[in-house]
Amino acid sequence: MVFLNLEPLKGYQGEDIEIQLPRSLTMHSIDWLAVWCVQYTHNFGHVNIPDDLDVPPALGQTKLTVSSRANGGGGRSSDRPTTVGPTKKPRRHQSWSPPQPPPPWVFASYPQTNREVLAPVPQYHNHYYHHPTWWYNPTSSTTSDPDGHWDMNNCRDLLPGKLQVHWEVQNEWVQVQLTGKIRENQYMAFGLSGNQNKMTMIGGDVVVVFYNRAKNSFHAEDYYLSANTECDGKNGVCQDERLGGRNDAVLVTGTRRNGVTSVVYRRPVQTNEAINDQQVPLDTAAMVIAAIGPLGSSDQPGAHDDLDMTKEEIKINFNAKDDNTCSYSLFNIDDDMGRSAWPPNIIIGEKEFRAKLGPSGGSRGYMAITGQMTGDIVWYINDKLIPEIFVERKQTYTFIVEGGNDPNNGGHYHPLYITDSSEGGFGQKLDTDQRKQRVFAGIVYDSEGFPFPTTAGRYCEFKFKSYDRSSEMETFDAFFDSLKLSCEDGNAGLLNWTVAEETPDLVYYQSYSQPFVGWKIHVVDPGYKWKDDKDAATRQHGGLPLTCAILITAVAVQRIFTISLL
């Protein structure tokens, strides 16, 4: 472990200060610099960097003239380390105070180089800073690619072939790198088990990291897990900030390439939040949990597949050195996410639909068919994985629903409803978002105006006979043969739906309690000429009427186009 004696900045009066930036920053990537006292959380002054600043391309640095205001006041020397950091440019005519905590860059003195350097540090501690592996050193090379693991020598496979963690304790912080073989619209979660004597998600203190493609940005957010449901503001998978706490996860860097997302973040060993956060034990091994899953609306983590979470107990000694059991890099694993999708299932000419739940089919099933991420279960209609259903206006259809009727068991509670929303999950939405959905069947309102679902029934789920073999199966029928049906006691629920004339041409059957579980219902006018061959109802190719074949071709083209944008 190397420590540097970072001497407090001296007082400056009418002097030029030479700043050498890390290789990850240029003058054009900084809006302004602030002289910030860590001990007293005070801004001693800032210097704006104009957008049209002319920096000679041959120079790796430029000189900034600092006014006397930046000397701590009246030319006196500050006796505290002072930070300089890029952040939002202050608005004119407004007072400004730096964010909390201060930016993770220190304006540090290097006696051996006789130069003061803008460098990242983990935290302020008694005038000494632990020298992390990503510290910018003017005499050595550095990298911004997390594939180098930032020289963290501890590594563990959390989900073999899918998720790895590197870690290192740095004084009062733990630095973590999560690397996952995931899609761009998936997240990775890692943290402490809710019970240190056994592995459990409930009560877990985790950090969720992800990549936002639209913003080309990486994120690390602090979560507390009080239930296996979407956060309602009090319970569920909730950000600490939504529960009145704070986000103690500090993003360091991230990268996305070759189908792999890698994010480096830091969190304190000890926080001041006794309820939502746990202390990271340094004197004993800690039980940890991890998962990967889909990002929902507003980048909220969605329900993950049962196979995408830690199943066996994993203990990590965070204070260990060279605890590395990883024998491969996820960046070097062949990408199997490009496997061909199963053709969509079609149901035509039927009046009765039996709805159960089952596995999503991995990269060949729901995600490939819809272009959307989903959780661990989706609707199976008449033993078909999310089939596209064709119905006629003015006709009545019956859904026999076996989605679970216990609202206290979120994982086994999936009332079916029909909506114009391709996302669904009505019960997990805020009032404003609920009003954006049109509901055609399955939800009614009580006398006080509160919605409640009408049709759920007992819980039935198709489960794996052994393990998920979706990647091995070229057809859905072959995959379906690898499943077995498991049903709880009770009766099915019945939903009778008479299709109104004003019903749109495209609606969806969905789950009330979870988004992205169902798929499309095509609505046609009365008298539509169906082929009188019921085998055509489940055939994916040439046996369909010409009009339906054109519709299906359009759906296939749309699906290919959607996938090409991921």
Side-chain angles (χ1 to χ4, degrees), residues 27 113 174 187 206 230 259 269 273 322 328 335 340 401 436 543:
M27 292 303 297
T113 63
V174 178
Y187 66 85
V206 304
E230 187 174 333
V269 172
E273 298 179 52
D322 298 320
Y328 56 88
D335 190 358
S340 59
V401 183
K436 296 176 182 178

Side-chain angles (χ1 to χ4, degrees), residues 179-198:
T179 303
K181 192 77 171 176
I182 61 175
R183 289 180 172 82
E184 289 181 345
N185 51 359
Q186 286 185 291
Y187 66 85
M188 301 176 283
F190 170 75
L192 299 173
S193 170
N195 186 332
Q196 282 301 303
N197 295 318
K198 63 179 181 179

Side-chain angles (χ1 to χ4, degrees), residues 129-441:
Y129 290 82
H130 173 220
H131 187 296
T133 57
W134 42 270
W135 183 283
Y136 176 72
N137 187 333
T139 62
S140 65
S141 62
T142 184
T143 177
S144 62
D145 186 358
D147 189 22
H149 312 308
W150 300 93
D151 296 332
M152 288 182 279
N153 294 325
N154 302 307
C155 180
R156 191 70 58 85
D157 282 308
L158 299 173
L159 299 173
K162 295 181 180 179
L163 182 62
Q164 292 178 336
V165 60
H166 289 75
W167 75 92
E168 180 183 68
V169 173
Q170 299 175 353
N171 286 350
E172 298 173 5
W173 296 76
V174 178
Q175 182 158 294
V176 176
Q177 174 181 338
L178 289 181
T179 303
K181 192 77 171 176
I182 61 175
R183 289 180 172 82
E184 289 181 345
N185 51 359
Q186 286 185 291
Y187 66 85
M188 301 176 283
F190 170 75
L192 299 173
S193 170
N195 186 332
Q196 282 301 303
N197 295 318
K198 63 179 181 179
M199 189 201 70
T200 176
M201 294 286 180
I202 304 301
D205 175 15
V206 304
V207 173
V208 174
V209 301
F210 59 91
Y211 170 63
N212 184 311
R213 182 181 182 183
K215 298 179 181 178
N216 191 29
S217 60
F218 295 88
H219 300 265
E221 299 177 354
D222 197 358
Y223 274 77
Y224 177 71
L225 314 179
S226 62
N228 292 324
T229 57
E230 187 174 333
C231 182
D232 61 7
K234 296 181 179 179
N235 298 295
V237 180
C238 295
Q239 294 167 299
D240 281 16
E241 291 177 324
R242 290 194 65 182
L243 301 176
R246 65 175 180 234
N247 181 18
D248 291 304
V250 179
L251 177 71
V252 176
T253 189
T255 188
R256 170 74 188 177
R257 61 182 178 82
N258 298 339
V260 174
T261 297
S262 187
V263 176
V264 180
Y265 68 90
R266 298 162 48 238
R267 60 148 291 173
V269 172
Q270 174 70 62
T271 71
N272 294 321
E273 298 179 52
I275 298 178
N276 301 334
D277 290 336
Q278 299 182 40
Q279 179 177 350
V280 178
L282 299 182
D283 55 353
T284 185
M287 189 80 67
V288 297
I289 54 177
I292 59 178
L295 283 170
S297 57
S298 303
D299 287 333
Q300 296 300 304
H304 52 72
D305 190 273
D306 193 53
L307 296 177
D308 289 337
M309 61 177 287
T310 46
K311 288 290 192 180
E312 299 180 356
E313 293 186 353
I314 299 177
K315 289 190 173 184
I316 283 179
N317 184 345
F318 282 94
N319 217 14
K321 303 295 181 183
D322 298 320
D323 180 5
N324 190 336
T325 60
C326 300
S327 58
Y328 56 88
S329 169
L330 293 177
F331 287 94
N332 297 330
I333 296 179
D334 292 337
D335 190 358
D336 63 351
M337 296 183 179
R339 296 182 185 275
S340 59
W342 295 321
N345 289 302
I346 308 295
I347 296 180
I348 298 175
E350 298 287 336
K351 287 293 190 72
E352 189 174 278
F353 310 109
R354 184 173 289 273
K356 302 179 178 69
L357 295 157
S360 64
S363 59
R364 284 180 157 165
Y366 187 99
M367 292 180 285
I369 294 171
T370 67
Q372 297 288 346
M373 301 299 299
T374 186
D376 53 350
I377 51 90
V378 297
W379 282 121
Y380 280 56
I381 308 295
N382 293 356
D383 297 347
K384 300 295 182 183
L385 172 70
I386 56 162
E388 296 185 29
I389 300 173
F390 288 79
V391 300
E392 291 184 18
R393 293 179 176 89
K394 295 185 178 181
Q395 295 295 315
T396 299
Y397 299 87
T398 299
F399 286 82
I400 303 171
V401 183
E402 296 171 311
N405 53 16
D406 182 6
N408 296 318
N409 186 352
H412 285 195
Y413 182 62
H414 295 277
L416 184 143
Y417 76 108
I418 298 171
T419 174
D420 65 349
S421 169
S422 61
E423 181 176 346
F426 189 91
Q428 296 294 324
K429 303 295 182 184
L430 299 175
D431 291 344
T432 54
D433 293 324
Q434 288 180 347
R435 287 192 287 269
K436 296 176 182 178
Q437 292 192 25
R438 293 180 63 189
V439 175
F440 302 96

Side-chain angles (χ1 to χ4, degrees), residues 546-564:
L546 177 61
T547 305
C548 293
I550 294 173
L551 283 172
I552 296 166
T553 301
V555 170
V557 171
Q558 181 183 15
R559 184 178 67 253
I560 294 171
F561 177 73
T562 301
I563 293 173
S564 70

